[in-house]
Amino acid sequence: LVDSDSYLDPQAYILRPDVVLTISKEILEEPTHYGRAKTAARAAIETLKSAGKEGRVKILEREWPWLDRMQKEVETMPDTEDEAWHAIKERIDITKIIPEDYGLT
């Protein structure tokens, strides 16, 4: 049942148990929550692009530019959580969060 739509839909493909386990192994290698999130995004995009090129999942032509765009965004993300925080903190309403609750300074 899980496999039934995985060849027709990128969302179904990325949720296949074998794909989830492969990506999970990469995620677990990261020591921080931020690193895990970045790794998850990168691995999911790379997995979909590879599977699409190899014909393991149908990716519509209009979806390829979005995968490329997401990949570029992930590649430009700061390397660490602290760097990411300093990059965005001037653009958010600091009164709505307590940075110290998240280990941010």
Side-chain angles (χ1 to χ4, degrees):
L1 185 59
V2 170
D3 199 32
S4 64
D5 291 336
S6 70
Y7 304 101
L8 303 173
D9 180 68
Q11 291 84 0
Y13 184 85
I14 208 70
L15 293 174
R16 286 173 41 149
D18 59 320
V19 175
V20 169
L21 288 172
T22 299
I23 292 173
S24 295
K25 290 175 187 174
E26 291 185 50
I27 294 168
L28 291 174
E29 292 177 11
E30 290 294 326
T32 67
H33 296 300
Y34 176 81
R36 289 181 195 123
K38 187 175 175 180
T39 295
R42 181 195 43 75
I45 294 163
E46 289 174 358
T47 298
L48 286 173
K49 289 178 88 170
S50 175
K53 289 176 184 172
E54 295 172 7
R56 291 180 280 136
V57 63
K58 182 179 179 180
I59 297 179
L60 301 175
E61 283 300 316
R62 69 176 185 255
E63 293 173 329
W64 284 102
W66 285 103
L67 288 172
D68 292 337
R69 183 178 179 181
M70 288 185 290
Q71 186 172 34
K72 287 177 186 172
E73 288 294 322
V74 170
E75 289 170 0
T76 63
M77 290 173 65
D79 291 329
T80 68
E81 188 173 273
D82 202 45
E83 290 173 9
W85 167 244
H86 289 290
I88 67 164
K89 71 179 183 179
E90 301 301 323
R91 296 181 281 160
I92 62 171
D93 183 354
I94 198 72
T95 64
K96 300 205 184 234
I97 67 164
I98 302 170
E100 293 79 19
D101 285 356
Y102 301 94
L104 302 170
T105 56

